[in-house]
C-alpha cells in the first residue's frame, strides 16, 4: 500500500463572485512543491440557489501561467473568454482551460439554470504549466460528459471516468502538458476497490461526497483529502456509503513556483511582467457581462 502522508480538511467556505460558495481544499501557498503539478483545488457547493432573473457568477478576471480544470457535478455554468471562445458546461462536463500567456475569462450560472434555480456543485483544479509552456497560446478543451470514457470497477464496486491520463487500456480525452491522471471515481456503498498508483508521481485523493476507508486505516469524509508518498504501491478504498472521489496523480514539475492572485510563474520578475501586461491590455479584451473584475491587481 502507498503511504499516507497526511489527511486534510477543508477550511470555512468563502464566496467567489456571487455565484460560487467555495472551500479551497489545498493551495500551493500551503503545500508548495509537495503537490506539483497541482496548484489549487476549489470545491464549490453543493449549494442550492433560488430562481433568479440575473445570473450569478464571477466577472471578468485574468489568468496566466497555468490551466484551470472545471468539473461540474450539478448545475450549469456559462463561460466566455478573450479568445472569443465560450459555451456551457453541465453535469458531468469538464472545461480544461489553458491560460498560458494570458487570458481574460468570466463564469456565470447559465441563463436556464438561473431561471429555474437548483443545486450547484463543482470543483475547479489549477494545474501548473512548465516554464517552456507558460507563454504559449491560450485555449481550452470542452470535454463533454458523453465523450469521457467510463470503466466499470471490479465486483460491481462502481465506475471510474477517465478525464485525463489512462486507467488500464482506457485513455482520457484531455490533452495535458505533463503526464497526469485525473479520474472521477464513484463507489457503491459497502464495496471496495484497489487502484494502482504511478511511482514517482504526486498523488492526491479528494473525497467529494460520502465517506471512504482508505488503506484500511483512515476514514475520510466529504471535504477532506489525502496526500500520499511518491513511491510505487496501491490504494485500497472501501466506501461506507455511496461516494464520489477525485483522483489526481501527476509527474512533478521541478521548477520554482511564484504566484500572485491569478498569475503563477517561475520568478517575481515574471509576475511583475504579467501584471504590467494585464494592465496595458495585452491579455485581449472582454467586455463585462455584469459583474466587475474580482481581482484587485
Amino acid at each position: 500500500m502507498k503511504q499516507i502522508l497526511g489527511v486534510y480538511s477543508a477550511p470555512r467556505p468563502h464566496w467567489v463572485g456571487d455565484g460560487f460558495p467555495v472551500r479551497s481544499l489545498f493551495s500551493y501557498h500551503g503545500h508548495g512543491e509537495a503537490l506539483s503539478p497541482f496548484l489549487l483545488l476549489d470545491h464549490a457547493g453543493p449549494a442550492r440557489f433560488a430562481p433568479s432573473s440575473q445570473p450569478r457568477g464571477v466577472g471578468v478576471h485574468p489568468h496566466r501561467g497555468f490551466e484551470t480544470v472545471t468539473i461540474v457535478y450539478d448545475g450549469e455554468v456559462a463561460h466566455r473568454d478573450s479568445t472569443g471562445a465560450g459555451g456551457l458546461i453541465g453535469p458531468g462536463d469538464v472545461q480544461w482551460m489553458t491560460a498560458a500567456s494570458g487570458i481574460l475569462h468570466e463564469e456565470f450560472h447559465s441563463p436556464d439554470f438561473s431561471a429555474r434555480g437548483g443545486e450547484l456543485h463543482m470543483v475547479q483544479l489549477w494545474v501548473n504549466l512548465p516554464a517552456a509552456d507558460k507563454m504559449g497560446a491560450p485555449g481550452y478543451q470542452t470535454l463533454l460528459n458523453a465523450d469521457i470514457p467510463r470503466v466499470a470497477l471490479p465486483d460491481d464496486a462502481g465506475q471510474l471516468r477517465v478525464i485525463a491520463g489512462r486507467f488500464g487500456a482506457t485513455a482520457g480525452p484531455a490533452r495535458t502538458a505533463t503526464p497526469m491522471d485525473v479520474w472521477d471515481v464513484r463507489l457503491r456503498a459497502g464495496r471496495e476497490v484497489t487502484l494502482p498508483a504511478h511511482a514517482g508521481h504526486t498523488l492526491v485523493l479528494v473525497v467529494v461526497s460520502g465517506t471512504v476507508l482508505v488503506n484500511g486505516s483512515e476514514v475520510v469524509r466529504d471535504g477532506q483529502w489525502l496526500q500520499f508518498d511518491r513511491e510505487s504501491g496501491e490504494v485500497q478504498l472501501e466506501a461506507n456509503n455511496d461516494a464520489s472521489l477525485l483522483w489526481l496523480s501527476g509527474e512533478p514539475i521541478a521548477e520554482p513556483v511564484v504566484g500572485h492572485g491569478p498569475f503563477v510563474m517561475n520568478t517575481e520578475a515574471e509576475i511583475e511582467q504579467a501584471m504590467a501586461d494585464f494592465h496595458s491590455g495585452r491579455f485581449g479584451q472582454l467586455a463585462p457581462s455584469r459583474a466587475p473584475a474580482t481581482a484587485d491587481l
Side-chain angles (χ1 to χ4, degrees), residues 77-247:
V77 177
H79 60 90
R80 65 190 187 102
D81 62 47
S82 54
T83 71
L88 299 175
I89 49 174
D93 297 339
V94 177
Q95 184 209 53
W96 198 296
M97 185 180 76
T98 302
S101 61
I103 200 168
L104 301 178
H105 186 234
E106 69 170 23
E107 300 155 289
F108 286 92
H109 300 179
S110 73
D112 285 348
F113 178 77
S114 298
R116 68 177 182 269
E119 186 167 272
L120 180 77
H121 189 198
M122 55 186 279
V123 297
Q124 185 174 93
L125 171 71
W126 288 16
V127 178
N128 201 11
L129 288 169
D133 296 326
K134 283 186 178 291
M135 293 301 290
Y140 75 95
Q141 306 165 67
T142 298
L143 311 175
L144 299 178
N145 185 32
D147 298 326
I148 298 173
R150 291 166 168 77
V151 179
L153 297 174
D155 301 322
D156 197 29
Q159 71 169 17
L160 183 153
R161 293 198 313 153
V162 186
I163 296 169
R166 302 187 69 88
F167 180 75
T170 302
R175 301 183 304 275
T176 65
T178 56
M180 70 185 64
D181 296 320
V182 177
W183 301 340
D184 173 12
V185 183
R186 308 297 175 97
L187 295 180
R188 291 162 52 90
R191 303 300 175 94
E192 64 178 70
V193 67
T194 300
L195 301 176
H198 290 290
H201 278 209
T202 297
L203 177 58
V204 172
L205 182 67
V206 180
V207 178
V208 178
S209 64
T211 306
V212 180
L213 177 65
V214 182
N215 287 355
S217 63
E218 294 285 353
V219 176
V220 189
R221 297 175 173 83
D222 162 30
Q224 294 185 304
W225 61 278
L226 303 96
Q227 178 189 359
F228 295 84
D229 70 6
R230 290 175 177 165
E231 302 300 319
S232 61
E234 297 177 321
V235 177
Q236 184 184 63
L237 306 171
E238 181 180 345
N240 295 345
N241 42 43
D242 288 349
S244 170
L245 305 103
L246 185 61
W247 175 285

Side-chain angles (χ1 to χ4, degrees), residues 60-81:
V60 178
H61 55 283
H63 293 297
R64 173 178 278 184
F66 62 99
E67 300 180 293
T68 65
V69 181
T70 304
I71 304 170
V72 178
Y73 298 104
D74 291 295
E76 191 174 62
V77 177
H79 60 90
R80 65 190 187 102
D81 62 47

Side-chain angles (χ1 to χ4, degrees), residues 218-297:
E218 294 285 353
V219 176
V220 189
R221 297 175 173 83
D222 162 30
Q224 294 185 304
W225 61 278
L226 303 96
Q227 178 189 359
F228 295 84
D229 70 6
R230 290 175 177 165
E231 302 300 319
S232 61
E234 297 177 321
V235 177
Q236 184 184 63
L237 306 171
E238 181 180 345
N240 295 345
N241 42 43
D242 288 349
S244 170
L245 305 103
L246 185 61
W247 175 285
L248 305 173
S249 172
E251 182 179 280
I253 299 173
E255 297 173 353
V257 174
V258 179
H260 178 82
F263 307 136
V264 181
M265 303 300 288
N266 300 113
T267 68
E268 292 287 352
E270 289 172 336
I271 293 295
E272 292 173 5
Q273 187 63 56
M275 295 177 67
D277 289 346
F278 167 61
H279 286 299
S280 63
R282 293 192 180 97
F283 282 35
Q285 299 295 321
L286 185 64
S289 292
R290 179 181 67 84
T294 58
D296 182 14
L297 300 173

